[in-house]
Amino acid sequence: MTQTTARVPQEERSRAMRARLLEACVELLVERGFAGTTTTLVSERAGVSRGAQLHHFPSKNDLVFAAVEHVTNVRGDELAAAASRLPGGTRRTRAVLEMLADHFTSPVFTAALELWVAARTDADLLAEVAPLEQRVGRDTHRLTVELLGADESLPGVRELVQATLDLVRGLGLASTITDDTRRRMRILDRWAEILEEQLA
Amino acid sequence: MTQTTARVPQEERSRAMRARLLEACVELLVERGFAGTTTTLVSERAGVSRGAQLHHFPSKNDLVFAAVEHVTNVRGDELAAAASRLPGGTRRTRAVLEMLADHFTSPVFTAALELWVAARTDADLLAEVAPLEQRVGRDTHRLTVELLGADESLPGVRELVQATLDLVRGLGLASTITDDTRRRMRILDRWAEILEEQLA
């Protein structure tokens, strides 16, 4: 009994420490980019000793990958929750697009972009990142199909959903260095009209 | 006369040296990313002394910015040349989209992406990159309007052209870590159908 109670707080502390490291890492990716995210800065910001950090994440790549995977999962849950609050009727398509665009302009997208670009020229990192990106891509596609009520057995519908996701990804990339919310809103208005026409 | 002939080869050598530095820098951005592109590697690859390099480009940021600006201009000329060879008639819209998608999946896009992401967290670099991006964005938009024969005085046409460019930017980003030419071709087929319908 004593053993069990001693072990549980230890496990909890370890989990909490891991979570703090991941959150600190994502914040630094957004603020300073991949190159500026050093393991020293992460351990300082998380208030975790270097030894404890190395126990959880032996290398910077391990830490950055786990951090992006973690926020991607959290964000996936948030997307699913936001999806359940979407309106029905005529405003629905536009609301789905705004939800997706919010996702692709969020700090999670920015952190993922930093990881993604770093992985492009780092084969070890790419071997981890590519399967994560594929899984996330499939999940986001499936969610979008469901939210739009799109019937992918009809010709051209699958490509329309893919184009929608590539469009919001392009909008997300554009927003990383120029704030163009107004432009984005007008484009989403227009795309919502077309999507409704095409899916009707 | 002697002075003039002595000066001209000197100026030519200097121009050629500058061009070699810019080309080497772009190659390294594509191969190793922004962080991996050191000024030492660039001078080695270009076969230019450190002193001569510093004369042309006092800092790494100067060099990288000039390199991306240079290839962007070259690529702009190439785009204009490719545009003059586009077919007319029913295949034109699809051909315009393929030309744009080729541009956004080219090494020039990759080098620009590296610069872009680095500028996100580097205020000095951003001050230079943001106006370049705006100019390139305007030029590409204008070219696309012209190639598609789009009439932007009609409601929704401007946003459709913008969405087209955001779509190809999103496709370009996706292609940096996963090779998805087949997926891209199908999406472009579908987008061409929509564009033709909407612009008719």
Side-chain angles (χ1 to χ4, degrees):
Chain A
M1 189 68 194
T2 318
Q3 261 195 340
T4 311
T5 49
R7 205 185 308 125
V8 170
Q10 168 59 26
E11 276 168 15
E12 265 167 28
R13 274 201 305 277
S14 181
R15 240 198 322 271
M17 206 179 262
R18 191 172 186 279
R20 284 208 307 280
L21 286 166
L22 298 176
E23 297 291 339
C25 182
V26 169
E27 283 174 22
L28 284 162
L29 282 172
V30 172
E31 287 168 28
R32 306 195 180 207
F34 184 86
T37 300
T38 64
T39 52
T40 310
L41 280 174
V42 174
S43 65
E44 275 171 20
R45 181 167 301 198
V48 168
S49 73
R50 295 283 286 158
Q53 186 185 35
L54 286 169
H55 169 73
H56 284 286
F57 305 104
S59 75
K60 172 176 166 177
N61 279 1
D62 293 331
L63 174 59
V64 171
F65 178 74
V68 172
E69 189 176 36
H70 168 71
V71 288
T72 300
N73 290 338
V74 169
R75 185 67 192 174
D77 295 344
E78 285 171 7
L79 264 183
S84 70
R85 293 188 299 270
L86 284 171
T90 53
R91 288 163 50 235
R92 185 170 178 90
T93 304
R94 182 62 180 75
V96 169
L97 291 181
E98 184 135 345
M99 194 189 89
L100 291 171
D102 284 349
H103 176 57
F104 280 90
T105 51
S106 71
V108 174
F109 173 74
T110 306
L113 177 66
E114 290 286 342
L115 175 68
W116 206 343
V117 169
R120 197 185 65 75
T121 51
D122 180 332
D124 292 340
L125 198 52
L126 187 57
E128 292 202 276
V129 171
L132 173 65
E133 279 303 323
Q134 279 173 2
R135 174 170 70 77
V136 172
R138 274 195 306 269
D139 289 352
T140 314
H141 185 97
R142 197 182 306 122
L143 180 66
T144 308
V145 166
E146 197 187 304
L147 295 179
L148 293 172
D151 179 357
E152 290 199 301
S153 69
L154 298 173
V157 168
R158 181 171 176 74
E159 290 73 17
L160 200 63
V161 174
Q162 288 176 319
T164 300
L165 291 169
D166 284 300
L167 169 67
V168 289
R169 188 188 297 120
L171 290 170
L173 181 57
S175 82
T176 55
I177 68 165
T178 42
D179 179 30
D180 60 349
T181 308
R182 280 202 315 175
R183 186 185 82 95
R184 191 162 61 242
M185 292 300 117
R186 286 196 302 265
I187 294 172
L188 295 180
D189 288 344
R190 186 73 178 95
W191 187 243
E193 281 174 22
I194 294 174
L195 263 185
E196 277 169 10
E197 243 178 81
Q198 297 287 330
L199 294 175
Chain B
M1 188 70 192
T2 320
Q3 259 194 342
T4 311
T5 50
R7 204 185 308 126
V8 170
Q10 168 60 26
E11 276 167 15
E12 265 168 27
R13 275 201 304 276
S14 181
R15 240 198 321 272
M17 205 178 263
R18 192 172 187 279
R20 284 209 307 280
L21 285 166
L22 298 176
E23 296 291 340
C25 181
V26 169
E27 283 175 22
L28 283 163
L29 281 173
V30 173
E31 287 168 28
R32 305 193 182 207
F34 184 87
T37 299
T38 64
T39 52
T40 310
L41 279 175
V42 174
S43 65
E44 276 172 17
R45 181 168 300 199
V48 168
S49 74
R50 294 283 287 159
Q53 185 185 36
L54 286 170
H55 169 73
H56 285 286
F57 306 104
S59 75
K60 172 177 166 176
N61 279 1
D62 293 330
L63 174 60
V64 171
F65 177 74
V68 172
E69 189 176 35
H70 168 71
V71 288
T72 300
N73 289 338
V74 170
R75 185 68 194 174
D77 296 344
E78 285 172 7
L79 263 184
S84 69
R85 293 189 298 270
L86 283 171
T90 54
R91 287 164 50 235
R92 185 170 177 90
T93 305
R94 182 61 179 76
V96 170
L97 290 181
E98 184 134 346
M99 196 190 88
L100 292 171
D102 285 350
H103 176 58
F104 280 90
T105 52
S106 71
V108 174
F109 173 75
T110 306
L113 178 65
E114 289 287 342
L115 175 67
W116 206 344
V117 169
R120 197 184 66 74
T121 51
D122 180 332
D124 292 340
L125 198 52
L126 186 58
E128 292 203 276
V129 171
L132 173 65
E133 279 304 322
Q134 278 175 1
R135 173 170 70 76
V136 172
R138 273 195 306 268
D139 290 351
T140 313
H141 184 95
R142 197 183 304 123
L143 180 67
T144 307
V145 166
E146 197 187 304
L147 296 178
L148 292 172
D151 180 356
E152 290 199 299
S153 69
L154 299 172
V157 168
R158 182 171 174 74
E159 290 73 19
L160 198 61
V161 174
Q162 289 177 319
T164 300
L165 290 169
D166 284 300
L167 169 71
V168 288
R169 188 188 297 120
L171 290 170
L173 181 57
S175 82
T176 55
I177 68 165
T178 44
D179 178 31
D180 60 350
T181 308
R182 281 201 316 174
R183 186 186 83 96
R184 191 162 61 243
M185 292 300 117
R186 285 196 303 265
I187 294 172
L188 295 179
D189 289 344
R190 188 71 178 95
W191 195 270
E193 281 175 20
I194 293 174
L195 267 183
E196 277 168 11
E197 243 179 81
Q198 297 287 330
L199 294 176

